């Protein structure tokens, strides 16, 4: 594991989104049950943006 977090959202899923702004957080649960928030923030999604990947 190299410390990279990859989130893949297939086009069939993201094309159905009707809300293009929101908030997010990324949490991990430790072995003892402790929840640790790694990231949080707001997001704005632009429709029909293609990166060529």
């Amino acid at each position: 594991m190299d410390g990279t977090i990859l989130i893949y959202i297939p086009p069939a899923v993201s094309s159905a989104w009707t809300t293009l702004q929101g908030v997010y957080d990324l949490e991990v649960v430790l072995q003892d049950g402790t929840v640790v928030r790694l990231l949080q923030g707001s997001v704005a999604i632009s429709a029909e943006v293609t990166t060529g990947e």
Side-chain angles (χ1 to χ4, degrees), residues 5-50:
I5 299 169
L6 174 64
I7 300 172
Y8 173 73
I9 303 168
V13 173
S14 62
S15 66
W17 291 347
T18 57
T19 301
L20 301 179
Q21 294 184 22
V23 294
Y24 71 93
D25 63 2
L26 177 63
E27 299 176 334
V28 295
V29 181
L30 304 179
Q31 289 180 343
D32 68 359
T34 302
V35 178
V36 178
R37 181 179 295 143
L38 299 176
L39 301 169
Q40 68 182 37
S42 58
V43 61
I45 300 168
S46 299
E48 299 297 324
V49 175
T50 302

